[in-house]
Amino acid sequence: QVQLVESGGGSVQAGGSLRLSCVASGYKYSRYCMAWFRQTPGKERKEVASIDGDGATVYADSVKGRFTISKSSDRDTLYLQMSSLKPEDSGTYLCALSHKSCDVGAGQGLYNYWGQGTQVTVSS
């Protein structure tokens, strides 16, 4: 059974940094895509960044140059280093895992498994 457990959220002031982690268990296929999504009340989940099994990364325009997605060498932990945070970065950040390769523009429908999320609040 695949499980994704996020941690690392919190409250910071604008300009601050946070590092999110997502521990994945129960998935041992060689092909996969993992991503971080942000959800805010009343809005659709937005993909923030993704990484595939080869380490190729894709970022939303709004976070390029500020966020970095990475994974541990054993691929069991996914990270999102967030710097120069802005109030509009606030939301619940969810970790997602797909059986398929990453597909830019596919959105949340690509992903088979989801974590419960971790809350990020950035104050101005």
Side-chain angles (χ1 to χ4, degrees):
Q1 182 177 356
V2 176
Q3 287 191 319
L4 303 174
V5 180
E6 303 97 335
S7 62
S11 297
V12 296
Q13 290 192 327
S17 299
L18 283 173
R19 189 194 198 202
L20 306 184
S21 299
C22 170
V23 178
S25 60
Y27 188 81
K28 296 300 180 184
Y29 294 96
S30 59
R31 185 177 69 172
Y32 65 92
C33 179
M34 294 190 77
W36 288 98
F37 280 75
R38 179 174 64 237
Q39 185 157 30
T40 53
K43 294 186 178 180
E44 189 175 331
R45 288 177 183 174
K46 179 180 178 181
E47 187 167 339
V48 174
S50 64
I51 186 167
D52 68 14
D54 295 325
T57 57
V58 178
Y59 296 92
D61 288 342
S62 62
V63 307
K64 284 180 181 177
R66 301 188 298 119
F67 290 12
T68 302
I69 189 171
S70 62
K71 54 186 175 66
S72 58
S73 57
D74 60 5
R75 75 175 188 179
D76 284 347
T77 305
L78 180 71
Y79 302 102
L80 185 68
Q81 178 67 49
M82 306 187 294
S83 303
S84 301
L85 282 161
K86 304 176 181 180
E88 53 263 43
D89 295 321
S90 297
T92 300
Y93 282 72
L94 300 104
C95 173
L97 172 64
S98 172
H99 293 305
K100 301 178 181 179
S101 299
C102 291
D103 183 359
V104 177
Q108 58 181 318
L110 179 70
Y111 298 91
N112 306 98
Y113 306 101
W114 294 86
Q116 292 300 308
T118 185
Q119 181 67 34
V120 171
T121 303
V122 184
S123 58
S124 58

